[in-house]
Amino acid sequence: MTEKAMIKISQLRKSYGELEVLKGVDLEVDLSKVVVVIGPSGSGKSTLLRCCNGLEAGQGGTIDICGQRLLEHGVMLQDKALDKLRTQVGMVFQSFNLFPHLTVLENVTVGPRTLRGMTVRQAEEHAMALLEKVGLAEKATAMPASLSGGQKQRVAIARALAMEPKVMLFDEPTSALDPELVGEVLAVMQLLVKEGMTMMVVTHEMGFARDMADTVVVMDGGRIIEADVPDVIFTNPKEARTRSFLQAVLKKETQAL
């Protein structure tokens, strides 16, 4: 693992029963770099991301996150050590996962108060600064049910950032949103890119991949079939499977306009 690598995945394997979802994946994400993972549904993208946060346990290979071994040959960090590592890895899900009985402010403060030992005042000041950053300071006292999908996802990003993570993982962060709400979430993600956040993003948003990724990784059938800078992937991919996937996605995007 290089000094710059914040995530290093080596020969990662994952199966559900007889279905092998990850078939020996190797991947590195360096400090302050953005790796965007694309590919057809069922290719293993979300499973790969969930393995990086310990939400799924790989059955083979190794995963190092922020200089700590998360998985070694099917054995994962346990309990307190895993919880401590997760404070350094923020994750944003496609389904928001906000606590419906808590206000926006309470959703953002609950992690720092319970896991980082912040006082209520410290946590609230920190949370308000983050809500300001994602453009939702005026929604601090609102309940999640009153928010649009885009607003919920921006709160989810603020909640993840409240833990001051070293790495951010995004699992299809815009897939549950109406098309007109996608832009407000991508704008927040672009801000994080410009601030130098280390990010691994699973998405179907090809514009984000083209404009914001340092590396685009293409997965198919549980394997990485190619990885390169966006310009190469989008204009001169090596693999026929990449070309057919991109043609289908870009055709769908054009039809949606």
Side-chain angles (χ1 to χ4, degrees):
M1 184 169 177
T2 65
E3 285 185 16
K4 294 193 300 179
M6 297 298 283
I7 301 174
K8 181 175 173 62
I9 301 164
S10 179
Q11 286 299 296
L12 179 62
R13 295 185 175 275
K14 172 68 180 176
S15 298
Y16 299 104
E18 295 184 358
L19 177 63
E20 192 175 18
V21 183
L22 298 176
K23 303 173 182 178
V25 172
D26 295 309
L27 181 63
E28 283 195 24
V29 182
D30 284 344
L31 179 67
S32 296
K33 297 299 183 182
V34 179
V35 171
V36 175
V37 185
I38 64 173
S41 296
S43 58
K45 306 183 302 293
S46 290
T47 301
L48 174 64
L49 206 68
R50 290 170 68 84
C51 284
C52 291
N53 200 28
L55 294 172
E56 300 279 358
Q59 282 119 3
T62 59
I63 303 175
D64 293 285
I65 306 282
C66 303
Q68 186 165 359
R69 181 62 50 95
L70 169 64
L71 177 78
E72 184 160 20
H73 307 308
V75 180
M76 200 164 69
L77 273 180
Q78 294 296 311
D79 304 330
K80 288 184 178 180
L82 179 57
D83 289 342
K84 184 176 180 181
L85 181 59
R86 279 180 175 155
T87 65
Q88 301 180 61
V89 185
M91 184 145 183
V92 177
F93 302 86
Q94 54 187 301
S95 55
F96 322 129
N97 288 11
L98 299 178
F99 296 112
H101 61 291
L102 300 180
T103 67
V104 165
L105 185 63
E106 289 166 341
N107 263 281
V108 180
T109 59
V110 65
R113 287 193 295 106
T114 57
L115 296 174
R116 285 201 174 274
M118 281 190 186
T119 65
V120 172
R121 182 175 177 180
Q122 287 172 329
E124 288 186 349
E125 287 179 355
H126 185 43
M128 286 304 300
L130 290 170
L131 289 173
E132 185 78 40
K133 182 175 191 169
V134 301
L136 288 173
E138 77 284 359
K139 295 289 186 180
T141 59
M143 301 302 289
S146 71
L147 304 179
S148 70
Q151 290 170 333
K152 288 176 184 175
Q153 195 60 294
R154 284 187 282 153
V155 173
I157 293 172
R159 183 180 61 180
L161 291 173
M163 295 299 292
E164 300 181 332
K166 295 179 180 178
V167 174
M168 285 284 286
L169 308 176
F170 291 85
D171 186 12
E172 302 273 16
T174 60
S175 65
L177 302 179
D178 292 332
E180 65 268 23
L181 301 177
V182 169
E184 65 190 60
V185 174
L186 293 181
V188 174
M189 294 172 64
Q190 288 166 355
L191 177 62
L192 297 180
V193 173
K194 290 172 183 174
E195 291 178 347
M197 175 63 75
T198 305
M199 294 165 58
M200 186 170 166
V201 183
V202 170
T203 187
H204 286 293
E205 297 293 336
M206 295 300 123
F208 180 85
R210 273 191 300 257
D211 297 340
M212 293 291 147
D214 294 292
T215 303
V216 177
V217 171
V218 186
M219 290 191 69
D220 187 46
R223 292 186 171 91
I224 292 175
I225 59 173
E226 63 180 306
D228 214 318
V229 296
D231 191 50
V232 170
I233 294 295
F234 286 102
T235 62
N236 191 30
K238 300 179 182 68
E239 299 293 327
R241 184 69 185 97
T242 303
R243 289 194 291 274
S244 64
F245 167 73
L246 289 174
Q247 285 169 359
V249 172
L250 296 173
K251 181 180 179 181
K252 189 175 179 181
E253 284 185 358
T254 302
Q255 290 172 343
L257 294 176

